Amino acid sequence: MTRRTDTGMPWPSPEDTPQTYWDAFHGGLDVPDQIPTPNPLLVEEASRLPVGSALDLGCGTGGDAIGLAGLGWRVTAVDVSGEVLRRAEFHAGRAGVHVDWQRHDLTEAFPAGHYDLVCSQFLHSPTERPGQRTAILRRALDAVAPGGSLLVVGHAGVPASMAGTPFDVDLPGPGELRAALAPDPAAWTVAAERTVDRGIVTGPDGEPFARADTVLRLDRAG
Ligand SMILES: C[S@@+](CC[C@H](N)C(=O)[O-])C[C@H]1O[C@@H](n2cnc3c(N)ncnc32)[C@H](O)[C@@H]1O
């Protein structure tokens, strides 16, 4: 039985893998009636790009993949949780779009191919070990086709109530992330590097906190 925090979040046990953790997490959530909607920062950045092929890393319930497919992108979407991929596929069917759903643990495997847009929204995990997210995103850079883009959207900070818990993971700013990815300046342009104020939201403890998200978009020369 997975231990849960007092706010209902499953607490990873030492035996948990990313798959067992995230299957328990997603399996514990209600399945909403509504088809999930895409993250606004993804929509904003994608609207500046020509439609093509896209790879979504850590797709969750599929809002971003379904949103991109609805705009005409040919989408491959990856998650470690078979549980959440079943839900995402169900929602895509209801939305009438096709997405190639693939289960991979991105700490160990990566989908084949090159894509015009490789994106990752909130790929943060309490099972993450130091350096794993950066390694995944370096691999993501390699998967960007010439003329394509890497987009990484993340949280800029965790609520105070999560400080010191397994959910208090490394959340680099966009500049720090760019430095860690070290894209070759001869081949890559920084198209977006910003922190966006998302207003006051209710944290997992029910307390309001000021949410901010980070955006890094790197465009590869054609
Ligand atoms: C915080 S959720 C974000 C989901 C979605 N991108 C969104 O913005 O709503 C992180 C997602 O990454 C997935 N994930 C975590 N670790 C992973 C890994 N090692 N490989 C693949 N997916 C992973 C989780 O299952 C979860 O669906």
Side-chain angles (χ1 to χ4, degrees):
M1 172 72 75
T2 303
R3 178 183 163 202
R4 289 184 184 266
T5 66
D6 52 8
T7 56
M9 307 274 285
W11 193 279
S13 72
E15 296 77 38
D16 261 326
T17 63
Q19 182 176 8
T20 59
Y21 174 77
W22 284 100
D23 272 343
F25 177 95
H26 292 298
L29 299 178
D30 291 337
V31 182
D33 267 353
Q34 280 173 335
I35 296 168
T37 54
N39 285 292
L41 294 170
L42 167 71
V43 174
E44 183 183 337
E45 291 300 327
S47 71
R48 303 188 170 118
L49 301 172
V51 168
S53 57
L55 172 65
D56 183 18
L57 302 171
C59 63
T61 51
D64 290 333
I66 293 168
L68 286 172
L71 293 170
W73 291 78
R74 299 180 305 284
V75 185
T76 300
V78 172
D79 205 282
V80 72
S81 166
E83 179 73 33
V84 84
L85 287 174
R86 276 190 293 280
R87 294 178 182 207
E89 190 166 16
F90 169 70
H91 288 308
R94 292 169 69 216
V97 297
H98 170 76
V99 171
D100 178 10
W101 305 104
Q102 296 189 14
R103 201 195 74 73
H104 296 281
D105 178 351
L106 291 165
T107 65
E108 295 180 346
F110 202 90
H114 290 86
Y115 303 83
D116 299 311
L117 171 63
V118 180
C119 64
S120 144
Q121 286 66 244
F122 310 105
L123 180 60
H124 305 299
S125 174
T127 61
E128 184 183 317
R129 290 200 297 277
Q132 280 187 329
R133 180 170 181 263
T134 308
I136 293 168
L137 296 176
R138 280 207 193 101
R139 182 69 193 78
L141 265 187
D142 293 339
V144 175
S149 302
L150 172 74
L151 174 67
V152 183
V153 176
H155 292 300
V158 294
S161 61
M162 287 189 169
T165 74
F167 304 94
D168 187 2
V169 294
D170 183 31
L171 297 171
E176 278 174 273
L177 178 61
R178 174 175 48 78
L181 297 180
D184 175 0
W188 294 89
T189 305
V190 180
E193 185 180 297
R194 62 188 196 281
T195 298
V196 182
D197 181 0
R198 299 290 306 278
I200 304 296
V201 299
T202 305
D205 54 355
E207 292 295 315
F209 83 105
R211 174 176 169 177
D213 293 340
T214 60
V215 179
L216 178 66
R217 196 183 107 210
L218 300 171
D219 289 352
R220 186 175 193 167

